[in-house]
Amino acid sequence: MRILVLAQQWFPDYAGGTARVVRATAEGLAQRGHEIVLIAPQFGEEPEVSVVNGIEVRRVMRRGLLPETMTDVYETRRAIKALGLRKFDLVLAHHVACATGALGLNLGCPLALVFHASPFREARHRRSTGLTLIEQWRSMGVGSLLYLQERLALKHADQILVLSDYSRQLVLKTDMRAASKIEVVGGGVNIEMFTPTPDRDALRARLGLNPEQQLLVSARRLDGRMGLEMLLAAFRELHNHNENTRLIVIGKGELLSALELQRDQLNLQGSVQFVGRV
């Protein structure tokens, strides 16, 4: 098959979970013998067109002063039109803005949407995390546009792929009529990279970790919707029962200062460590 992949993020240009899913699935499809053309945002000095592990990567979506919410729909349409008469068997869109941009172009093939998250719900939640009044007004305007994009993408997609039952419920909260189009496709794990070490004590010694401690690790963005405030509160309860526990939080985000303050208020300075991006 010839598959056109549309994405607002591409790894390693953007070091996030969605970007890694975009790349890993595109490479997997290419390894299966499919012809993959991927449209992604421009990035630094990277060439606009290159071949990466059998994927034709076209970094042609322009970014400027306006929010991506407003520009990426147009930029997706422009990038697809620039392909001219090239025909595809499937369009695979990883974001609602990209899916919306592909609508109405009469591409003559099905559109599959990978629903990673609900952008308008993320924007709404962010407004509850202490933004300034100006930022809240901006977020409200962007949120309305995100909601419209999400509705359009879910309505017109021929197939909706989600990573979990939780994401499936988010889709249904926006459009119950999409139920018959949803397919749950769980995320994969690179078991060559993420596999238990045969000598855990040696590894802990190399990392400077107490081999006797019970170690908890969280790896995620330090954003409000991730529930890290509840994790710290729960860890405090655990630590009250067993002081031989330690929590390491991996990742960066806008809540770092607030989470560090919460840790200190809970008197967990020696048991909770924020190590940034690893």
Side-chain angles (χ1 to χ4, degrees):
M1 296 174 63
R2 178 179 287 177
I3 302 174
L4 176 62
V5 180
L6 310 174
Q8 290 177 297
Q9 300 174 6
W10 169 252
F11 183 83
D13 300 353
Y14 183 88
T18 299
R20 297 206 54 145
V21 170
V22 171
R23 176 153 185 168
T25 53
E27 290 180 339
L29 290 168
Q31 290 169 4
R32 292 189 175 202
H34 302 299
E35 181 181 341
I36 308 299
V37 178
L38 181 136
I39 292 175
Q42 295 176 341
F43 184 78
E45 301 299 322
E46 295 292 336
E48 284 198 352
V49 181
S50 60
V51 177
V52 179
N53 294 340
I55 305 165
E56 180 184 330
V57 178
R58 303 178 66 86
R59 293 182 175 91
V60 293
M61 292 169 59
R62 298 170 299 192
R63 293 279 173 80
L65 297 178
L66 293 175
E68 300 168 11
T69 312
M70 302 175 64
T71 61
D72 282 0
V73 174
Y74 170 77
E75 285 298 313
T76 299
R77 294 178 69 86
R78 185 184 65 83
I80 295 174
K81 289 180 178 179
L83 295 172
L85 300 177
R86 296 173 70 173
K87 300 296 183 181
F88 295 92
D89 300 300
L90 173 70
V91 174
L92 182 63
H94 280 272
H95 302 88
V96 296
C98 294
T100 305
L103 297 178
L105 291 180
N106 298 318
L107 297 175
C109 64
L111 169 66
L113 168 66
V114 184
F115 185 87
H116 293 270
S118 176
F120 91 88
R121 286 187 174 85
E122 290 190 357
R124 184 176 62 188
H125 181 85
R126 189 168 179 268
R127 290 197 297 272
S128 68
T129 59
L131 297 180
T132 65
L133 185 60
I134 294 177
E135 289 175 327
Q136 287 189 35
W137 277 103
R138 289 175 178 170
S139 178
M140 289 176 64
V142 170
S144 299
L145 185 56
L146 287 170
Y147 178 73
L148 177 60
Q149 291 177 4
E150 190 168 314
R151 294 279 299 184
L152 286 172
L154 294 176
K155 178 180 179 180
H156 293 287
D158 297 285
Q159 183 91 56
I160 301 169
L161 307 177
V162 296
L163 296 174
S164 66
D165 288 324
Y166 174 77
S167 294
R168 182 178 186 274
Q169 294 304 315
L170 289 181
V171 171
L172 295 178
K173 286 181 180 179
T174 302
D175 189 350
M176 285 292 297
R177 296 169 298 180
S180 62
K181 301 188 293 185
I182 303 174
E183 185 77 22
V184 179
V185 183
V189 177
N190 182 341
I191 59 175
E192 293 181 359
M193 177 181 295
F194 298 103
T195 194
T197 176
D199 191 343
R200 190 169 73 164
D201 288 343
L203 177 58
R204 286 199 172 203
R206 180 163 63 85
L207 295 174
L209 300 172
N210 184 341
E212 302 301 324
Q213 274 190 325
Q214 292 185 346
L215 179 66
L216 288 76
V217 178
S218 174
R220 61 190 62 243
R221 293 201 314 274
L222 307 187
D223 292 347
R225 70 182 183 89
M226 297 295 181
L228 285 161
E229 306 94 329
M230 289 183 286
L231 173 63
L232 290 182
F235 180 76
R236 177 58 189 169
E237 296 296 317
L238 174 65
H239 196 66
N240 284 340
H241 292 282
N242 181 3
E243 293 187 355
N244 194 32
T245 53
R246 183 177 181 185
L247 171 64
I248 293 180
V249 180
I250 299 171
K252 298 195 301 184
E254 59 186 15
L255 287 188
L256 175 59
S257 296
L259 291 170
E260 288 178 330
L261 177 60
Q262 181 186 1
R263 174 197 62 189
D264 296 346
Q265 291 173 340
L266 294 172
N267 295 318
L268 293 172
Q269 296 93 326
S271 302
V272 176
Q273 183 180 3
F274 295 91
V275 297
R277 176 170 287 160
V278 176

